């Protein structure tokens, strides 16, 4: 095998001789062994071209892309001999060396395979190592980029003016105030950045993974706007500096402003607004062409932009040390204690748009306004985190480099305040916008060049970084509207660059640096507040995954940093603050409505989890008061019969579950039982649970899906009713459809299963709601009219009344009225019972018509013809079944047996049960044939009674009633008379 020159130079670890193929380096591979070998791990030195495979426990497909010999076989030069099977077969997993060692073997990032119980095949491709990009350290990767972004146009052309306006004392307060904000944000940034690996997107990635995609996208887009507007600010700063240095370059005449109230006699000039706009647009277009054509070149020469900055700073401080009275210009005093004292206090006043003092000026400057003007001079702390992918050690470089840049620039600003306030008069500080160039030694041109190059470099970085931020947001596929800005990994975001250039040119047209600066401030402060809130939430929750390497952090520091960001926003301008917050809120709302759901393991999910745990503990294990009682239905999705494979739940069961909630409040648990062995059907259960969850979301039901594997339905339900739920959040109502198909020959097990489920609910103290006529149940768009009839026979704690009231809250039943039917034993009791029930309903705040039916009138009424026919048929079937039971018992010489259990049959009692259900069915058909829905109490299954007989009773009860809810309460009240 022959390696090309590029391959040899690109792979430092795998350096092979071009002619001989002899390995010059040592590579390690996982060693495999036979099943009967000892469970040990070995490592061997092998030829880089050799391969070693492991036993396939999980259907792991390994495709090794390498050279083969002439016969098509892959050479194996392992010193350990031929390939052998994994020694760790006992554990059921591939060896960690075999899996995780692939990364060190290939030099590629390979995701660890899922657990064997997660299902699916894992395909891993081993390729030859690719040349890796040169990684940066703390100095060039974090410190220098942060220093370049922090040190910018504000320091050169506004800082001396700020000292003259605010005075030395308040200027120091201003630097400390703004610097503390970015310092606390850096602390939070360091904690989050050292809590795991980072991908592209910088602060957007950190905030989105901590506060969720909605917050991340909203703040990320605002941060993108801030970067785009900052590019315009840098362009305007460079153009203004150029026009001040070369006035003859102005296309239009400069504006001349007479100085009023000062000792300086000469007029003060400034560049024309239209010149700023024209030159700014041209420069922006040129920068965009550079971005399109030479981003790699820009990244290579970016450190060179720092040299003019450092050189200009040296010239400025040298000029300050050499300055004397009125040298090099009028108003310069040199380092003077007198000037220090005179410039200590503030001198807030009105100025023109150019910042020149003017009693008739439109702008009045205060400390709050200066905060907005100066704050962009302390931004740029995210430059290092934006380059996380190119850092050797992000866990160390980001905290150290960012903090070093922040403290260095803050110290420079403090020193500059002191020396600027001591080197010139206040009038000179306020009127000479480029005092730094005036005082520089040996000549001002160095400062002009430094300003122009540093600002153009910063603008170029903004026009390069902002599109990548937008592309990172688009690549997360949260907002479909951003799909136009998606890019393939490694490609240039041309569409996002066009959009960024358009925004930048729009801001350049404004032409006023002092109006643009507060806008940038708001967007940056939003981002910093997001970083602080992210760290605050993660630190306060302290989840097991929160283990940052940066230990100097606390949730209170992050909270103070977030509050400080909000305070600075309102100090600058409450109107700009409201607009920026409104913009972020609109983006958040849009993302929550139109965005695609994504689970990034954010802090809010952890907060919800901890809140749920605390709420669950606060509820305790005691019974919930009736005023706080909520229905928590457990819904059997497929208890009887078969549904299409792509329909995991009867559609009308989901509609009925929504009818049991008031305004959607409450939780439903959708259950399905799969027959079989758990170890064999576990994967089927996972797939069924995922399908059921998707269907629940599709039907807009607030609930969870659970799939249980059990030998049969009875055992599965018995386990569910005992263990499902936690504390007081256990299901309290069992909902299932009535098994109308139980008579089919292939479904003879249904009666015993149905009766067993009801008995299990009685023992577990669960309420039961059985829906008959489920196919006829209306959806939310089918309006129902008529009555909701309640046949209230036994005490059920008010569950039947409460369910009827919940139905009235739904659009499909809001046009119905409730009728309550009660049965009195004597005619004389009817009026008293009616009055008592009316009073009871009035105290319960329920409106219903009460109808009392006496037992005597019940006896005297004529049965419905269809009820009599059903009664006769039931008698005949019961008699036949009883005869078969007796014949079997005589033949086998055993007691009467049904469903494998001994039973006791009292034929008179059977006739009584049949007659009672006949009378009740006839009453329902007489009074409620046209009712929208009928409620009736569920008779409990008689003890030691054949399940077949109970099903006959139930069939006779529900005969010819199209839509019926059979309800059984439990041993507690769910409604209360008291407030």
């Amino acid at each position: 095998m022959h390696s090309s020159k590029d391959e040899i130079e690109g792979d430092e670890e795998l350096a092979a001789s071009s002619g001989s193929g002899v390995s010059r380096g040592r590579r390690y591979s996982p060693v495999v062994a036979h099943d009967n070998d000892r469970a040990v791990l070995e490592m061997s030195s092998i030829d880089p071209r050799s391969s070693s495979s492991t036993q396939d426990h999980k259907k792991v497909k390994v495709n090794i892309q390498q050279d083969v010999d002439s016969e098509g076989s892959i050479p194996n030069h392992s010193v350990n001999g031929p390939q052998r099977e994994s020694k760790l077969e006992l554990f059921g997993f591939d060896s960690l060396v075999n899996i995780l060692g692939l990364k060190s073997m290939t030099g590629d990032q390979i995701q660890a395979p899922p657990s064997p119980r997660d299902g699916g095949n894992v395909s891993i491709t081993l390729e030859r190592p690719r040349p890796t990009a040169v990684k940066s350290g703390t100095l060039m990767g974090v410190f220098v980029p942060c220093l370049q972004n922090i040190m910018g146009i504000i320091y050169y052309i506004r800082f001396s003016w700020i000292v003259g306006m605010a005075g030395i004392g308040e200027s120091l307060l201003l630097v400390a105030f703004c610097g503390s904000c970015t310092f606390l944000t850096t602390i939070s940034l360091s904690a989050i950045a050292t809590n795991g690996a980072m991908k592209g997107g910088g602060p957007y990635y950190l905030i989105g993974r901590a506060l969720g995609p909605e917050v991340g996208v909203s703040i990320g887009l605002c941060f993108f706007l801030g970067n785009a507007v900052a590019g315009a600010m840098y362009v305007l700063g460079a153009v203004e500096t150029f026009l001040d240095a070369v006035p003859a370059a102005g296309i239009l005449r400069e504006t001349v402003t007479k100085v009023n109230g000062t000792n300086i006699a000469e007029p003060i000039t400034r560049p024309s607004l239209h010149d700023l706009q024209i030159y700014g647009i041209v420069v922006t277009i040129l920068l965009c062409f550079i971005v399109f054509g030479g981003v790699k070149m820009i990244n290579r020469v970016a450190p060179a932009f720092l040299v003019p900055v450092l050189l200009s700073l040296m010239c400025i401080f040298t000029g300050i040390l050499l300055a004397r009275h009125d040298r090099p210009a009028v108003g310069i005093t040199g380092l003077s204690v007198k000037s220090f004292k005179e410039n200590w206090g503030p001198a807030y006043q009105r100025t023109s748009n150019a910042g020149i003092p003017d009693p008739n000026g439109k702008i009045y400057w205060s400390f709050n306004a200066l905060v907005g003007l100066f704050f962009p001079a302390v931004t740029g702390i995210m430059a290092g985190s934006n380059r996380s992918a190119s850092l050797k050690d992000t866990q160390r470089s980001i905290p150290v480099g960012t903090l070093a840049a922040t403290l260095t620039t803050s110290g420079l600003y403090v020193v500059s305040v002191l020396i600027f306030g001591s080197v010139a008069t206040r009038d000179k500080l306020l009127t000479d916008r480029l005092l730094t160039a005036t005082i520089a030694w040996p000549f001002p041109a160095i400062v002009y060049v430094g300003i122009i190059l540093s600002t153009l470099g910063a603008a170029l970085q903004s026009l390069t970084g902002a599109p990548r931020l937008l592309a990172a947001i688009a690549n997360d596929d949260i907002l479909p509207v951003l799909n136009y800005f998606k890019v393939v990994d490694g490609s240039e975001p041309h569409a996002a660059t066009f959009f960024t250039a358009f925004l930048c040119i729009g801001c350049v047209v404004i032409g006023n640096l002092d109006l643009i600066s507060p806008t940038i401030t708001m967007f940056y402060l939003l981002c910093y507040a997001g970083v602080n809130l992210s760290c605050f939430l993660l630190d306060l929750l302290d989840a097991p995954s929160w283990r940052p390497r940066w230990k100097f952090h606390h949730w209170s520091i992050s909270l103070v940093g977030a509050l400080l960001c909000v305070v600075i926003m309102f100090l600058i301008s409450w109107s700009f603050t409201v607009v920026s917050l409104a913009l972020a809120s609109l983006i958040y709302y849009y993302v929550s409505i139109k965005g695609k759901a994504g689970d990034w393991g954010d802090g809010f999910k952890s907060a919800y989890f901890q809140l749920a745990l605390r709420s669950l503990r606060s509820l305790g294990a005691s019974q919930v008061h009736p005023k706080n009682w909520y229905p928590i239905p457990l819904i059997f999705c497929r208890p009887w019969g078969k549904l299409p494979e792509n329909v995991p739940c009867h559609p009308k069961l989901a509609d009925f579950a929504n009818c049991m909630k008031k305004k959607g409040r409450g939780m439903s648990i959708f259950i399905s039982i799969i027959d079989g062995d758990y170890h064999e059907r576990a994967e089927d259960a996972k797939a069924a649970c995922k399908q059921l969850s998707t269907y629940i979301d599709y039907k807009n039901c607030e609930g969870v899906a659970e799939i249980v594997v059990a030998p049969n339905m009875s055992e599965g339900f018995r386990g569910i009713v005992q263990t499902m739920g936690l504390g007081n959040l256990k299901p309290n109502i069992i909902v299932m459809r009535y098994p109308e198909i139980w008579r089919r020959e292939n479904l003879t097990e249904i009666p015993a299963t149905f009766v067993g489920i009801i008995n299990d609910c009685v023992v577990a103290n669960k309420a039961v709601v059985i829906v008959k006529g489920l196919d006829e149940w209306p959806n939310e768009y089918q309006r129902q009219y008529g009555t909701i009839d309640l046949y209230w026979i036994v005490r059920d704690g008010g569950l039947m009344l409460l369910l009827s009231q919940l139905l009235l809250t739904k659009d499909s039943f809001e046009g119905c009225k409730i009728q309550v039917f009660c049965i009195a034993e004597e005619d004389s009791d009817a009026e008293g019972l009616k009055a008592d029930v009316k009073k009871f309903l009035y105290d319960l705040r329920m409106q219903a018509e009460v109808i009392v039916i006496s037992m005597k009138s019940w006896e005297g009424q004529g049965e419905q013809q269809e009820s009599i026919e059903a009664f006769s048929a039931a008698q005949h079937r019961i008699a036949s079944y009883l005869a078969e039971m007796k014949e079997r018992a005589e033949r086998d010489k055993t007691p009467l047996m049904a469903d494998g259990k001994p039973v006791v049959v009292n034929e008179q009692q059977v006739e009584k049960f049949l007659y009672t259900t006949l009378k009740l069915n006839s009453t329902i058909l007489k009074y409620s044939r046209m009712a929208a829905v009928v409620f009736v109490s569920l008779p409990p299954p008689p003890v030691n009674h054949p399940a077949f007989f109970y099903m006959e009773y139930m069939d006779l009860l529900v005969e010819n009633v199209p839509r019926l809810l059979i309800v059984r309460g439990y041993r507690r009240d769910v409604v209360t008379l008291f407030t």
Side-chain angles (χ1 to χ4, degrees):
M1 163 182 146
H2 294 274
S3 300
S4 66
K5 182 179 179 180
D6 295 336
E7 289 176 337
I8 296 174
E9 294 177 351
D11 189 358
E12 296 177 2
E13 296 179 352
L14 185 58
S17 174
S18 176
S20 62
V22 177
S23 175
R24 294 184 182 176
R26 291 175 61 87
R27 300 298 299 274
Y28 293 96
S29 71
V31 177
V32 293
H34 293 294
D35 294 340
N36 55 1
D37 288 344
R38 292 178 296 109
V40 297
L41 295 177
E42 300 178 3
M43 304 193 76
S44 64
S45 176
I46 64 171
D47 189 285
R49 296 162 294 173
S50 64
S51 64
S52 181
S53 62
T54 62
Q55 182 182 9
D56 184 6
H57 296 288
K58 178 65 177 60
K59 299 180 181 179
V60 179
K61 301 175 183 178
V62 182
N63 304 320
I64 305 180
Q65 300 178 1
Q66 55 184 352
D67 296 338
V68 298
D69 58 20
S70 59
E71 297 180 359
S73 62
I74 301 175
N76 191 335
H77 303 284
S78 174
V79 298
N80 289 350
Q83 297 177 353
R84 294 174 292 172
E85 296 178 344
S86 173
K87 295 181 179 180
L88 298 181
E89 181 183 7
L90 172 64
F91 294 93
F93 292 89
D94 289 316
S95 165
L96 286 178
V97 176
N98 295 342
I99 298 300
L100 302 181
L102 294 175
K103 175 180 176 181
S104 60
M105 287 180 62
T106 64
D108 295 334
Q109 295 285 343
I110 297 180
Q111 295 182 352
S115 167
R117 296 189 180 272
D118 292 340
N121 296 340
V122 181
S123 179
I124 302 177
T125 301
L126 303 186
E127 300 179 357
R128 294 183 70 66
R130 300 174 182 176
T132 57
V134 178
K135 299 293 185 178
S136 302
T138 303
L139 180 63
M140 298 305 299
V142 179
F143 179 76
V144 171
C146 288
L147 197 64
Q148 280 185 294
N149 281 267
I150 296 174
M151 284 294 300
I153 186 66
I154 298 296
Y155 177 80
Y156 285 104
I157 66 175
R158 293 292 185 270
F159 195 69
S160 60
W161 181 89
I162 290 174
V163 173
M165 183 66 69
I168 298 175
E170 294 197 12
S171 295
L172 292 173
L173 178 63
L174 178 66
V175 172
F177 189 56
C178 297
S180 61
C181 177
T182 55
F183 177 76
L184 296 179
T185 304
T186 304
I187 297 294
S188 301
L189 173 66
S190 302
I192 303 177
T194 58
N195 192 49
M198 289 177 56
K199 295 183 180 179
Y204 155 73
Y205 180 84
L206 298 177
I207 296 171
R209 269 58 180 180
L211 300 181
E214 294 86 358
V215 179
V217 171
S218 59
I219 295 181
L221 287 178
C222 290
F223 190 62
F224 157 75
L225 292 176
N227 277 276
V229 176
M233 184 188 73
Y234 295 134
V235 169
L236 286 177
V239 171
E240 183 175 345
T241 305
F242 171 72
L243 292 177
D244 279 335
V246 188
I251 299 175
L252 302 176
R253 297 182 63 183
E254 292 184 337
T255 302
V256 179
T257 304
K258 295 291 184 179
V259 178
N260 297 322
T262 67
N263 297 324
I264 301 178
E266 68 270 13
I268 306 299
T269 61
R270 66 178 292 268
S272 169
L273 176 62
H274 299 295
D275 284 344
L276 291 176
Q277 294 170 339
I278 295 172
Y279 277 101
I281 294 174
V282 172
V283 170
T284 304
I285 295 175
L286 292 176
L287 291 177
C288 290
F289 276 114
I290 297 175
V291 170
F292 275 112
V295 175
K296 292 183 179 179
M297 180 185 66
I298 295 171
N299 292 335
R300 290 174 181 174
V301 303
F305 284 106
L306 186 62
V307 175
V309 176
L310 298 177
L311 183 60
S312 61
L313 287 176
M314 292 177 58
C315 294
I316 292 171
F317 284 101
T318 302
I320 290 174
L321 294 176
L322 298 178
R324 296 294 183 266
H325 182 69
D326 290 336
R327 288 187 302 163
V330 177
I332 301 297
T333 63
L335 294 177
S336 168
V337 176
K338 179 181 178 182
S339 299
F340 183 89
K341 293 180 179 179
E342 291 178 351
N343 294 330
W344 177 260
Y348 298 119
Q349 55 189 294
R350 292 186 176 275
T351 66
S352 63
N353 291 335
I356 305 302
D358 185 357
N360 299 320
K362 298 179 180 180
I363 302 175
Y364 179 79
W365 291 95
S366 62
F367 183 82
N368 298 350
L370 291 182
V371 171
L373 177 62
F374 173 72
F375 193 83
V378 297
T379 60
I381 58 176
M382 301 296 177
S385 61
N386 290 336
R387 293 164 171 79
S388 58
S390 61
L391 297 177
K392 293 179 181 178
D393 185 4
T394 57
Q395 313 289 333
R396 179 180 182 275
S397 296
I398 290 180
V400 174
T402 308
L403 278 173
T406 303
L407 295 177
T408 300
T409 52
S410 297
L412 174 65
Y413 290 151
V414 170
V415 173
S416 298
V417 168
L418 298 176
I419 61 176
F420 283 159
S422 305
V423 79
T425 63
R426 189 182 298 274
D427 292 337
K428 185 64 175 178
L429 293 173
L430 292 175
T431 54
D432 192 347
R433 302 293 294 272
L434 276 170
L435 180 65
T436 53
T438 302
I439 206 171
W441 182 90
F443 37 83
I446 296 179
V447 174
Y448 285 109
V449 173
I451 294 174
I452 295 173
L453 290 180
S454 63
T455 51
L456 286 181
L460 203 57
Q461 293 295 336
S462 296
L463 292 176
T464 304
R468 278 152 181 75
L469 176 60
L470 183 60
I473 299 174
N475 285 341
D476 277 337
D477 202 21
I478 300 297
L479 276 182
V481 73
L482 298 179
N483 288 342
Y484 301 103
F485 304 116
K486 282 186 176 181
V487 295
V488 182
D489 290 342
S491 301
E492 296 295 331
H494 295 306
T497 303
F498 269 121
F499 185 66
T500 305
F502 175 78
L503 292 178
C504 187
I505 290 175
C507 294
V508 166
V509 170
I510 297 176
N512 192 335
L513 191 64
D514 297 333
L515 292 179
I516 294 177
S517 180
T519 308
I520 303 171
T521 303
M522 295 302 170
F523 291 139
Y524 275 94
L525 282 169
L526 270 180
C527 178
Y528 295 165
V531 171
N532 283 298
L533 286 177
S534 300
C535 186
F536 164 73
L537 183 62
L538 294 174
D539 213 350
L540 187 65
L541 297 175
D542 199 17
S545 62
W546 176 246
R547 302 184 305 276
R549 293 182 181 273
W550 180 258
K551 302 301 182 183
F552 304 100
H553 65 90
H554 192 265
W555 62 265
S556 58
I557 295 177
S558 301
L559 180 61
V560 171
L563 293 176
L564 193 58
C565 292
V566 176
V567 169
I568 291 177
M569 292 175 69
F570 280 98
L571 283 179
I572 295 171
S573 171
W574 67 268
S575 57
F576 273 102
T577 302
V578 171
V579 170
S580 59
L581 292 177
L583 177 62
S585 301
L586 287 176
I587 298 175
Y588 178 90
Y589 179 75
Y590 181 78
V591 173
S592 61
I593 297 299
K594 298 292 185 179
K596 297 180 182 179
D599 187 3
W600 292 345
D602 54 87
F604 281 131
K605 297 291 178 64
S606 179
Y608 296 154
F609 181 77
Q610 293 197 21
L611 182 62
L613 291 180
R614 292 188 180 185
S615 301
L616 187 62
R617 288 196 300 266
S618 65
L619 285 175
S622 59
Q623 291 186 351
V624 178
H625 193 277
K627 289 191 294 185
N628 299 324
W629 187 87
Y630 282 87
I632 305 178
L634 188 146
I635 299 167
F636 270 87
C637 299
R638 307 174 65 154
W640 327 113
K642 296 291 184 180
L643 291 173
E645 291 299 327
N646 60 342
V647 182
C649 176
H650 196 294
K652 295 303 179 67
L653 269 177
D655 294 332
F656 180 75
N658 283 331
C659 291
M660 299 183 68
K661 303 173 185 176
K662 184 177 181 180
K663 297 181 180 179
R665 300 190 187 103
M667 181 182 68
S668 301
I669 303 176
F670 290 80
I671 274 291
S672 188
I673 298 175
I674 297 179
D675 295 341
D677 181 76
Y678 174 69
H679 295 285
E680 297 177 356
R681 304 295 302 274
E683 297 301 326
D684 296 337
K686 290 180 182 179
C689 185
K690 184 177 181 180
Q691 184 185 27
L692 182 57
S693 298
T694 303
Y695 189 78
I696 292 171
D697 294 337
Y698 167 73
K699 295 293 290 183
N700 294 323
C701 292
E702 290 189 1
V704 295
E706 293 290 343
I707 304 295
V708 175
V709 180
N712 54 63
M713 184 178 293
S714 297
E715 293 191 17
F717 178 79
R718 195 165 290 119
I720 290 171
V721 79
Q722 293 181 76
T723 60
M724 185 64 67
L726 294 171
N728 274 319
L729 289 182
K730 292 183 178 180
N732 47 32
I733 301 177
I734 309 300
V735 179
M736 57 184 171
R737 69 179 302 187
Y738 181 75
E740 301 174 52
I741 58 175
W742 70 275
R743 295 187 190 279
R744 296 179 183 177
E745 293 183 0
N746 60 337
L747 299 175
T748 55
E749 77 283 354
I750 286 183
T753 302
F754 182 73
V755 173
I757 288 176
I758 295 177
N759 286 327
D760 290 341
C761 293
V762 174
V763 174
N765 195 26
K766 305 291 186 184
V768 181
V769 175
I770 301 172
V771 187
K772 192 263 180 180
L774 185 63
D775 296 332
E776 305 296 328
W777 193 263
N779 58 33
E780 57 182 331
Y781 303 108
Q782 296 173 327
R783 293 299 183 101
Q784 302 297 305
Y785 301 95
T787 60
I788 298 176
D789 292 350
L790 279 63
Y791 287 83
W792 196 13
I793 300 174
V794 297
R795 180 178 180 272
D796 61 357
L799 178 61
M800 189 184 296
L801 295 173
L802 183 61
L803 291 179
S804 64
Q805 291 294 319
L806 292 177
L807 282 183
L808 290 181
T809 63
K810 305 302 174 182
D811 294 338
S812 52
F813 288 98
E814 64 180 0
C816 299
K817 296 181 180 179
I818 297 178
Q819 293 184 145
V820 178
F821 292 84
C822 302
I823 299 176
E825 295 183 0
E826 301 291 341
D827 291 340
S828 58
D829 298 337
E831 292 301 324
L833 178 61
K834 184 175 183 178
D836 290 343
V837 173
K838 279 189 173 181
K839 179 65 168 58
F840 180 70
L841 295 177
Y842 176 79
D843 292 337
L844 289 176
R845 291 86 63 200
M846 296 181 180
Q847 294 183 355
E849 181 182 356
V850 180
I851 300 174
V852 178
I853 302 173
S854 64
M855 295 289 288
K856 287 187 177 180
S857 63
W858 193 2
E859 295 290 339
Q861 72 179 7
E863 288 81 11
Q864 303 292 322
Q865 182 63 33
E866 54 264 45
S867 299
I868 296 176
E869 294 175 358
F871 176 77
S872 301
Q875 279 184 318
H876 177 71
R877 287 189 295 269
I878 288 177
S880 300
Y881 190 83
L882 183 58
E884 292 178 5
M885 289 173 55
K886 291 179 178 180
E887 181 182 351
R888 191 183 310 112
E890 291 177 1
R891 184 178 64 248
D892 299 337
K893 299 186 183 304
T894 59
L896 287 178
M897 301 287 291
D899 306 318
K901 300 177 182 178
V903 295
V904 177
V905 177
N906 186 334
E907 296 187 28
Q908 292 182 349
Q909 188 182 38
V910 171
E911 288 292 326
K912 182 179 179 181
F913 287 159
L914 282 174
Y915 184 71
T916 302
T917 53
L918 168 65
K919 289 295 183 181
L920 185 55
N921 178 261
S922 298
T923 304
I924 293 174
L925 293 179
K926 178 180 179 181
Y927 292 100
S928 306
R929 188 182 291 270
M930 302 302 294
V933 62
V934 177
F935 287 77
V936 66
S937 298
L938 172 68
V943 181
N944 297 326
H945 216 61
F948 181 88
F949 290 5
Y950 183 76
M951 292 303 301
E952 289 291 351
Y953 309 152
M954 294 297 297
D955 253 16
L956 184 56
L957 176 64
V958 304
E959 184 70 24
N960 296 317
V961 183
R963 197 180 294 155
L964 183 68
L965 297 181
I966 312 170
V967 180
R968 183 192 183 278
Y970 57 114
R971 296 184 295 272
R972 58 165 304 174
D973 293 331
V974 298
V975 293
T976 180
L977 303 176
F978 305 101
T979 181

